[in-house]
Amino acid sequence: MATRVSSLYAESLTVLSQFRADLYGCLTTRADALFELTDAVLCTDRPVRSLVELALAPEHRRGHGSLYAGLNQGRIDLDRLRRTLAGLPLPKAADGRLVLAVDVSPWLRPDAATVPDRSFCHTYGRGEAKHQMMPGWPYSIVAALETGRTSWTALLDAVRLQPGADLAALTTAQIREVVERLIEAGQWAEGDPQILVVLDSGYDAPRIAHLLAGLPVQILGRLRSDRVMRRPTPPRVYDPKGGRPPKHGGKFVFGDAVTWGTEQAITVTDTRLYGKATAQAWDRLHPRLTRRAAWLDHDGPLPLIEGSVIRLVVERLPSGGANKPVWLWWSGTGATTADVDRCWQSFLRRFDLEHTFRMLKQTLGWTRPRLRTSAAADRWTWLVIVAHTQLRLARPLATDLRRPWEKPAPPSKLTPARVRRGFRNLRTTTGSPARAPKPTRPGPGRPPGSKNRRPATCHDVGRVLITGQAYTRPAHHKVGTKPRRNG
């Protein structure tokens, strides 16, 4: 047993050391400053509050000027870094399936009028207002999910949404590139289960499934409770009156149980957190598409995108809120009880990505810096991602340095924040490829008493909307209006 543990320790240490060496090779300009900045993020004893405080960490041997110069003028080979992340060991489900989650997390910059490339980001629960659109940098992030209750995810990609971008088209291109890199790295091969991609309600899951046709992926997305689906086209029957045959079957109204009919599959599972979870599935349902918005320029007849609709109802919620059913759309058809269980359990695992966002923002300081350019924000975002990746690789190596009020936990149950406490000790074992800093003198700076004759330019805030029109509050968010049903 001791030999097996030491072998696992040596293997994990080798993977971590190799990743650090590969990371240094991906930093093409000002590599030493960017690499030591990442080490400072990992080894600081407390959460990151500002960039200048990282310059005081012992792992950062350079001055604060080098820190900002690295973010503003450094370069990262993102293609090589993305391939490196795809080649690392990734978590998989019990059947060997890769489960990916995609979501958008904003870096809010409401008061930065001189910052370019800002877009209106949707926020929820800020103050008394429930829904707000605030200026910032929205980032679309893809991560691989683990099984079971955990706060760990394997970050694979991050793309900043440009103002006026089509969210569905950009997400489709991002997923396609990630899947292709995973296949190239040997994470998926012929005969393996298809990769499951989990989306939240902000995405058009049927459209993304249509755009990703041909890839070994299945799409699972959440739908609003006011949606209306259509059944398969009924068989053509001779009508003496003539007329065009129908293209769609009967309606499946989420809010009207009379239209549901008999379900394809049903499962009942006893869970510790939610009590009894009941999942029902109906086969071969599709949305009725119209030539507007994203389908306005579609060539040829509009497609019929069939899938399975899953209705999940739990006995209780941990927060004690209103217990409403969750509607899911799965791009597969002919769902069995095993498929239904896998779908709704994978969707619940999507919330692990929210724990990762909280770790990135509150502990690693992702949204703390007040950077002037979006290019510097992209470099800092990738440094935070690789820092989180090093914590994941150091998970089998970490020692539990728990606080007196915390319960002991085995190495497999340590959270990212508790792994970070002991990373400073692991850093001395893995080594650092960064070179020692050279002695230098600070620049003269602006002469005392002189005025700034190059004021910064103010930039307008853009929109991440398909139509490019001005933002309007959705009808189902307004007070005193009835829910709108969409076909």
Side-chain angles (χ1 to χ4, degrees), residues 352-409:
D352 296 340
L353 193 57
E354 304 295 339
H355 295 286
T356 300
F357 290 156
R358 183 172 59 182
M359 175 68 185
L360 298 183
K361 294 181 179 181
Q362 297 184 1
T363 304
L364 301 183
W366 173 31
T367 57
R368 287 292 180 174
R370 298 295 180 257
L371 301 175
R372 175 63 62 88
T373 64
S374 56
D378 293 343
R379 297 186 194 100
W380 173 248
T381 299
W382 277 103
L383 293 184
V384 173
I385 288 177
V386 297
H388 184 272
T389 302
Q390 294 186 58
L391 292 179
R392 181 174 65 87
L393 297 179
R395 187 178 175 185
L397 310 172
T399 304
D400 186 14
L401 303 178
R402 65 184 183 91
R403 302 290 189 255
W405 55 85
E406 294 176 342
K407 297 181 179 180

Side-chain angles (χ1 to χ4, degrees), residues 118-120 162-165 461-465 468-471:
R118 291 186 305 164
S119 303
F120 281 111
Q162 297 287 345
V461 183
R463 298 170 297 275
V464 180
L465 294 175
Q469 300 175 357
Y471 170 77

